[in-house]
Amino acid sequence: MYRHVLVASDPEGLAMATEPVVEALAGSGEPVVRVVGVERADDSSTVPGLTEERARELADRLRAHGVNATHEVRRVTREKTAEELAAVAREMEADLIVVGSHRHGDLAGILVGSVGHELATKIDVPMMVVGGPSRQQPLSLRRVLVALDASEHTTPVLTAAAQLAGADGDVLLAHVMPAPITSPLGAVSGEVESEDEAWQVLRHAQAELAGMGRASETRLLLSPEPVGDQIVALAKEWRADVIAVGSRRLGDLAALFLGSAAHRIIRLSRVPVLMADHPAE
């Protein structure tokens, strides 16, 4: 599945929550894992040695569970953390980047400052966001909920879901049919997706997965609740191990991932969220 995994470590210890996820990934394919911490060499407020201590601690814990993990610290002279992590990803030919998040109200909560947002716009490989406290019990990633929008570029996220689920896992394809936007006078503005069009999104994705040799379930959600809220609620109901979303990764925060929907999924989800790689231009 994933052969080279980059885990972005941080002084806050958010990356510790990624431990069970990385162990689950390692158990399915024995990838090479590199835990990398980046700190500003000119930042006097940084506790000396803390970045390296955090990276070493996580790598040690992974190695204790049989994961082929190394650790290192990169020092930059200015605020170029995201650029340095992206450079490491290219250098090691990473096919997955894993980051920790304290799930603040926006993507600034990933790692430190806006590093997670910046990193997502600089890479073209999948990125998995893991939040919440570190868990010691084994974690499975075999039940994958795929959140689909109306984009034609579904192949990356479907491929990622099939890889995670493996031969014996389960995949649920979900699409939320957005409620029409109405003006104060009751007029409907913008294009409105019909129910037939919504089902077509699901049928197309299901057929594409079938072509990969993977069976899947489908679910169309029609509630007026926000898209992100519905996906997270479905993940809890279905007991998903991970939510997979597509990624446009435009530089604008509002356009990132699936727009505000994926942003909200990342913030609310209690399970890891995998952002697929870029669709082909």
Side-chain angles (χ1 to χ4, degrees), residues 7 61 80 108 173 182 185 198 225 241 261 278:
V7 181
R61 286 164 60 166
K80 291 191 175 181
L173 305 173
T182 57
L185 299 178
E225 294 296 318
D241 296 322
H278 289 237

Side-chain angles (χ1 to χ4, degrees), residues 40-48 50:
R40 288 184 56 187
D42 58 348
D43 188 354
S44 59
S45 65
T46 302
V47 178
L50 182 58

Side-chain angles (χ1 to χ4, degrees), residues 4-164:
H4 300 93
V5 178
L6 168 61
V7 181
S9 181
D10 59 281
E12 294 185 58
L14 301 177
M16 292 302 172
T18 69
E19 180 187 351
V21 172
V22 177
E23 287 178 19
L25 292 169
S28 63
E30 299 184 1
V32 174
V33 176
R34 186 185 295 189
V35 180
V36 179
V38 179
E39 66 181 13
R40 288 184 56 187
D42 58 348
D43 188 354
S44 59
S45 65
T46 302
V47 178
L50 182 58
T51 300
E52 184 167 2
E53 178 184 335
R54 293 292 195 188
R56 181 189 299 110
E57 180 184 358
L58 179 54
D60 285 346
R61 286 164 60 166
L62 290 170
R63 283 192 291 267
H65 291 280
V67 179
N68 181 7
T70 61
H71 78 278
E72 64 181 89
V73 172
R74 298 288 183 100
R75 292 179 173 82
V76 294
T77 56
R78 289 178 293 176
E79 294 183 356
K80 291 191 175 181
T81 301
E83 289 184 17
E84 188 67 21
L85 287 170
V88 174
R90 290 189 292 269
E91 171 191 309
M92 67 178 289
E93 298 183 345
D95 46 20
L96 178 68
I97 298 175
V98 183
V99 300
S101 168
H102 40 43
R103 303 200 191 283
H104 283 178
D106 53 38
L107 286 174
I110 301 177
L111 294 176
V112 180
S114 59
V115 172
H117 170 217
E118 293 176 23
L119 179 59
T121 65
K122 295 179 183 297
I123 59 174
D124 56 4
V125 298
M127 186 164 82
M128 185 174 288
V129 182
V130 185
S134 177
R135 291 182 287 180
Q136 299 302 315
Q137 68 269 29
L139 179 70
S140 169
L141 297 175
R142 298 295 189 177
R143 289 179 64 82
V144 185
L145 170 60
V146 181
L148 296 168
D149 67 356
S151 168
E152 296 178 357
H153 302 292
T154 57
T155 299
V157 69
L158 295 176
T159 301
Q163 290 177 334
L164 280 176

